[in-house]
Coordinates of all heavy atoms in Angstrom, one line a residue:
G1 N -4.3 -0.7 -1.1 CA -4.9 -1.6 -2.0 C -6.4 -1.7 -1.9 O -7.0 -1.7 -3.0
K2 N -7.0 -1.8 -0.8 CA -8.4 -2.1 -0.7 C -9.3 -0.8 -1.0 O -10.3 -0.8 -1.6 CB -8.7 -2.6 0.7 CG -8.2 -4.0 0.9 CD -8.5 -4.5 2.3 CE -8.0 -5.8 2.5 NZ -8.3 -6.4 3.8
T3 N -8.8 0.3 -0.6 CA -9.6 1.6 -0.7 C -9.2 2.5 -1.8 O -9.8 3.5 -2.2 CB -9.5 2.4 0.6 OG1 -8.1 2.8 0.9 CG2 -10.1 1.7 1.8
A4 N -8.0 2.2 -2.5 CA -7.5 3.0 -3.5 C -8.4 2.9 -4.9 O -9.0 1.8 -5.1 CB -6.1 2.8 -3.9
T5 N -8.5 4.0 -5.6 CA -9.2 3.9 -6.9 C -8.2 3.4 -7.9 O -7.0 3.2 -7.7 CB -9.7 5.3 -7.3 OG1 -8.5 6.2 -7.4 CG2 -10.6 6.0 -6.4
N6 N -8.7 3.0 -9.1 CA -7.9 2.5 -10.2 C -7.0 3.5 -10.7 O -5.8 3.1 -11.0 CB -8.8 2.0 -11.3 CG -9.5 0.7 -10.9 OD1 -9.1 0.0 -10.1 ND2 -10.7 0.5 -11.6
A7 N -7.3 4.8 -10.7 CA -6.3 5.8 -11.2 C -5.2 5.9 -10.3 O -4.0 6.0 -10.7 CB -7.0 7.2 -11.2
V8 N -5.4 5.8 -9.0 CA -4.2 5.8 -8.1 C -3.4 4.7 -8.1 O -2.1 4.7 -8.2 CB -4.7 6.0 -6.6 CG1 -3.7 5.9 -5.6 CG2 -5.5 7.3 -6.5
K9 N -4.0 3.5 -8.3 CA -3.1 2.2 -8.5 C -2.3 2.3 -9.7 O -1.2 1.8 -9.7 CB -4.1 1.0 -8.5 CG -4.8 0.7 -7.2 CD -5.7 -0.5 -7.2 CE -6.3 -0.7 -6.0 NZ -7.2 -1.9 -6.1
E10 N -2.8 2.8 -10.8 CA -1.9 3.0 -12.1 C -0.8 4.0 -11.9 O 0.3 3.8 -12.5 CB -2.9 3.3 -13.3 CG -3.9 2.4 -13.7 CD -4.8 2.9 -14.7 OE1 -4.6 4.0 -15.2 OE2 -5.7 2.1 -15.0
C11 N -0.9 5.0 -11.1 CA 0.0 6.1 -10.9 C 1.1 5.7 -9.9 O 2.2 6.3 -9.8 CB -0.5 7.4 -10.5 SG -1.6 8.1 -11.9
S12 N 0.8 4.7 -9.0 CA 1.8 4.4 -7.9 C 2.8 3.4 -8.3 O 2.5 2.5 -9.2 CB 0.9 4.0 -6.7 OG 0.3 2.9 -6.9
G13 N 3.8 3.4 -7.6 CA 4.9 2.3 -7.8 C 4.7 1.1 -6.9 O 5.1 0.0 -7.4
V14 N 4.0 1.3 -5.8 CA 3.9 0.2 -4.9 C 2.4 0.2 -4.5 O 1.8 1.2 -4.1 CB 4.8 0.4 -3.6 CG1 4.5 -0.7 -2.6 CG2 6.2 0.3 -4.0
I15 N 1.8 -0.9 -4.5 CA 0.4 -1.1 -4.0 C 0.4 -2.1 -2.8 O 0.8 -3.3 -3.0 CB -0.5 -1.7 -5.2 CG1 -0.5 -0.7 -6.4 CG2 -1.9 -1.8 -4.7 CD1 -1.1 -1.3 -7.6
L16 N -0.2 -1.6 -1.8 CA -0.2 -2.5 -0.5 C -1.4 -3.3 -0.7 O -2.5 -2.9 -1.1 CB -0.3 -1.6 0.7 CG 0.8 -0.6 1.0 CD1 0.4 0.2 2.2 CD2 2.1 -1.5 1.2
L17 N -1.4 -4.6 -0.4 CA -2.4 -5.5 -0.5 C -3.5 -5.3 0.6 O -4.7 -5.4 0.5 CB -2.0 -6.9 -0.4 CG -1.1 -7.4 -1.6 CD1 -0.7 -8.8 -1.4 CD2 -1.9 -7.3 -2.9
E18 N -2.9 -4.9 1.8 CA -3.7 -4.6 2.9 C -3.6 -3.1 3.3 O -2.6 -2.5 2.9 CB -3.4 -5.3 4.2 CG -3.7 -6.8 3.9 CD -3.3 -7.6 5.3 OE1 -2.9 -7.1 6.2 OE2 -3.3 -8.9 5.1
D19 N -4.6 -2.5 3.8 CA -4.4 -1.1 4.3 C -3.8 -0.9 5.5 O -4.1 0.1 6.3 CB -5.8 -0.4 4.3 CG -6.5 -0.3 2.8 OD1 -5.7 -0.5 1.9 OD2 -7.6 0.0 2.9
N20 N -2.9 -1.7 6.0 CA -2.1 -1.7 7.2 C -0.8 -1.0 6.9 O 0.1 -1.5 6.1 CB -2.0 -3.1 7.7 CG -1.4 -3.1 9.1 OD1 -1.0 -2.1 9.7 ND2 -1.2 -4.3 9.7
L21 N -0.5 0.1 7.5 CA 0.8 0.8 7.3 C 1.9 0.3 8.2 O 3.1 0.8 8.0 CB 0.5 2.3 7.6 CG -0.6 2.9 6.8 CD1 -0.7 4.4 7.3 CD2 -0.3 2.9 5.3
D22 N 1.7 -0.7 9.0 CA 2.8 -1.3 9.9 C 3.7 -2.1 9.0 O 4.9 -2.2 9.4 CB 2.3 -2.2 10.9 CG 1.4 -1.4 12.0 OD1 1.6 -0.2 12.2 OD2 0.5 -2.0 12.6
G23 N 3.3 -2.6 7.9 CA 4.2 -3.4 7.0 C 5.2 -2.5 6.4 O 6.3 -3.0 6.1
I24 N 4.8 -1.3 6.1 CA 5.8 -0.3 5.5 C 7.0 -0.2 6.4 O 8.1 -0.2 5.9 CB 5.2 1.1 5.2 CG1 4.1 0.8 4.1 CG2 6.2 2.1 4.7 CD1 3.4 2.1 3.8
E25 N 6.8 0.1 7.7 CA 7.9 0.3 8.6 C 8.8 -1.0 8.6 O 10.0 -0.8 8.8 CB 7.3 0.6 10.0 CG 8.3 0.9 11.0 CD 7.7 1.0 12.4 OE1 6.6 0.8 12.6 OE2 8.6 1.1 13.4
L26 N 8.1 -2.1 8.7 CA 9.0 -3.3 8.7 C 9.8 -3.5 7.6 O 11.0 -3.9 7.6 CB 8.1 -4.5 8.9 CG 8.7 -5.8 9.1 CD1 9.7 -5.9 10.4 CD2 7.6 -7.0 9.2
C27 N 9.3 -3.2 6.3 CA 10.0 -3.3 5.1 C 11.2 -2.4 5.1 O 12.3 -2.7 4.5 CB 9.1 -3.1 3.9 SG 7.9 -4.3 3.6
I28 N 10.9 -1.1 5.5 CA 12.1 -0.3 5.5 C 13.1 -0.6 6.4 O 14.4 -0.6 6.0 CB 11.6 1.3 5.9 CG1 10.6 1.8 4.8 CG2 12.7 2.1 6.2 CD1 9.9 3.1 5.2
K29 N 12.9 -1.1 7.5 CA 13.9 -1.6 8.5 C 14.7 -2.8 7.9 O 16.0 -2.8 8.0 CB 13.3 -2.1 9.8 CG 12.9 -1.0 10.6 CD 12.2 -1.5 11.9 CE 11.7 -0.4 12.9 NZ 11.1 -0.9 14.1

């Protein structure tokens, strides 16, 4: 979310609000 460009945000299905990848692991579990 914080470092992504607008083009990447438009093409992606999920946008993380923070650039912390630990949240993805917790969501998958």
Side-chain angles (χ1 to χ4, degrees):
K2 293 181 180 178
T3 59
T5 60
N6 288 334
V8 170
K9 289 180 183 178
E10 290 176 7
C11 294
S12 64
V14 177
I15 301 172
L16 298 178
L17 296 177
E18 298 180 5
D19 291 348
N20 188 358
L21 302 179
D22 295 335
I24 295 174
E25 180 184 0
L26 183 63
C27 290
I28 290 172
K29 287 181 182 179

